[in-house]
Amino acid sequence: MSYRIEVASENALIVYLAMQPSNECSNKIHTLVSQLRQQLGDTLIDLIPSYTSLLIIYDPFLVDHFAVKKLLLQLLDHPQSLQQQNSKLIRLPVWYDAPATPDLALIAAHHQLSKVDVINLHQATHYHVFAIGFAPGFAFLGEIPPQIAMPRHATPRASVPKGAVAIADRQTAVYPSRSPGGWNLIGLCPFDLFNPKHSPVMAFEVGDSVEFYEIDEAEYRRLGGKE
């Protein structure tokens, strides 16, 4: 896998690891994040992983551009130094076709499937966390089976409920808080995926895996769902 390192600001570097997202690239970013956290320690301000890149923000009073780049080159040029880190598997319950999530029928009709078919395809897939944004705790998961892929709505909803499980193109996600959104809503997850009072504050990291499983309304309420 080729890479390139660029200066992003006076105290940040960005490393690009691939042209296209893949599980291999995501796993390498996940491992690189772990290694940099260990080796940069208190000199590190933040690490921001994405689909194919990693932004490294450091304290310029404690370390300089040259030292950080030297460490990156050491890790990337000697694959044996990048020991594979164990990723987590997160299993998330979903109350599919909840009243607040009306797009399951739309996806089924679009693909000439039943609602049950859409649910089965969605929960049978093992998803990869490729990136986290646009809100804290919002994990972009891929890839959705092409049989249930669906474009975003042309006009986003002004308010999407917390915990809404959604599909857009070949990706799926769970809205961690109430917010605007243009994805297709197919169910509700009762779990709290972002809490700044907890450690870690988010349930996901880039490189983790996610599976969904179906529950009914009673189980959703028992697990703390409120929408």
Side-chain angles (χ1 to χ4, degrees), residues 84-158:
Q84 183 68 43
Q85 303 297 307
N86 292 327
S87 60
K88 303 188 298 293
L89 172 63
I90 298 105
R91 299 191 74 242
L92 298 178
V94 183
W95 174 25
Y96 286 101
D97 207 22
T101 57
D103 295 324
L104 187 65
L106 183 68
I107 296 172
H110 180 82
H111 290 285
Q112 299 182 326
L113 299 170
S114 69
K115 289 183 181 182
V116 172
D117 291 332
V118 176
I119 293 168
N120 287 341
L121 284 164
H122 185 260
Q123 67 178 346
T125 303
H126 190 87
Y127 298 102
H128 210 77
V129 179
F130 283 121
I132 297 176
F134 65 105
F138 188 101
F140 292 85
L141 311 174
E143 289 187 317
I144 281 285
Q147 301 97 308
I148 57 173
M150 194 75 177
R152 291 169 173 82
H153 291 288
T155 302
R157 292 181 171 93

Side-chain angles (χ1 to χ4, degrees), residues 3-78:
Y3 66 87
R4 75 178 192 275
I5 301 171
E6 295 183 1
V7 175
S9 73
E10 69 277 2
N11 70 322
L13 294 175
I14 187 167
V15 54
Y16 296 93
L17 293 168
M19 296 296 292
Q20 299 291 333
S22 67
N23 288 359
E24 179 190 4
C25 179
S26 186
N27 288 335
K28 190 163 188 178
I29 291 171
H30 177 74
T31 300
L32 190 58
V33 164
S34 178
Q35 293 286 345
L36 289 171
R37 280 177 179 158
Q38 292 176 24
Q39 301 203 34
L40 290 176
D42 293 340
T43 68
L44 185 67
I45 292 176
D46 202 2
L47 293 168
I48 304 175
S50 188
Y51 289 91
T52 61
S53 65
L54 175 64
L55 180 68
I56 303 105
I57 306 172
Y58 54 87
D59 187 336
F61 296 104
L62 298 177
V63 69
D64 62 24
H65 158 93
F66 300 102
V68 176
K69 185 172 183 180
K70 181 179 179 180
L71 175 59
L72 274 171
L73 291 171
Q74 175 187 331
L75 293 172
L76 293 167
D77 288 340
H78 300 88

